[in-house]
Amino acid sequence: RRYPLCGPAPSPVVGRGVGAPPRAMYDDASGPGAMDDSLGQSSAAARLSSRFGRQLQYYLDKSAPHIAARWAGAGGLTLMYMLRVYFLNGWYIVTYGLGIYLLNLLIAFLSPQVDPEMEGPTLPSSRDDEFVPFQRRLPEFKFWYSYVKAFLTAMGMTFFEMFNIPVFWPILLVYFLTLFALTMKRQIKHMIKYRYVPFSFGKARYKGKAEKGGDD
């Protein structure tokens, strides 16, 4: 014996084909409209970042010839950071890390681009050799740019208490001074051994015996 099902029949779905997703999929924030908005926002952010990068590169190119002005600004930034750390009486770990990074920059600035120990001497040693200016591993402009970025980063970190790790700062100072002295001693020995000076003062002239005899 068969019994009829109780309850009204379900109303048909109007305006949707077979297999159409429910309306809720398009009403929440994860629908196609929201995806288009996120893509538009990311594209706008990319355009803004690209525009900022071009402007920054433009001003960096204009400042390249002004060496004294650039380093004067870097000196002012250094003084500002030192005064801030002094009056805040903290963030010594940040300052120590900054000092180690600057020491690495200095060593790269004073080192030749080609290591004489691996490639042999590259500077002229006689009057017949062609003059080759000193080529640094880290050029002056990149040294200045990294120097300024390091101080700006350290300055920004001083605004966050999470980086103010308590430490006995005299130990860090003594350790840094010791490391600085040992590193510079090794660098000076390297300069003396391979007879190079990390600065170029124009084309060098070599006097031979004939020139000396003619002068007499």
Side-chain angles (χ1 to χ4, degrees), residues 81-175:
Y81 177 79
M82 294 175 62
L83 291 176
R84 178 171 176 80
V85 171
Y86 175 77
F87 286 111
L88 291 178
N89 194 21
W91 286 270
Y92 298 117
I93 287 292
V94 175
T95 305
Y96 175 76
L98 175 63
I100 296 296
Y101 178 73
L102 295 180
L103 180 59
N104 291 328
L105 290 180
L106 179 61
I107 294 302
F109 177 73
L110 297 177
S111 300
Q113 185 178 11
V114 179
D115 190 0
E117 189 173 0
M118 302 298 296
E119 302 291 338
T122 57
L123 296 180
S125 57
S126 66
R127 59 175 302 189
D128 297 329
D129 292 341
E130 182 181 358
F131 173 73
V132 179
F134 183 78
Q135 296 180 353
R136 308 179 187 278
R137 186 188 308 170
L138 180 66
E140 179 272 333
F141 185 82
K142 291 185 177 180
F143 179 35
W144 168 82
Y145 186 54
S146 301
Y147 184 96
V148 171
K149 284 197 304 181
F151 269 97
L152 289 176
T153 303
M155 183 79 74
M157 294 175 69
T158 58
F159 289 93
F160 299 92
E161 191 66 27
M162 60 182 296
F163 297 110
N164 188 16
I165 302 174
V167 66
F168 188 59
W169 66 266
I171 295 181
L172 292 180
L173 179 60
V174 171
Y175 184 76

Side-chain angles (χ1 to χ4, degrees), residues 15-31:
R16 291 198 182 121
V18 177
R23 189 180 299 276
M25 292 184 62
Y26 297 99
D27 294 338
D28 58 4
S30 61

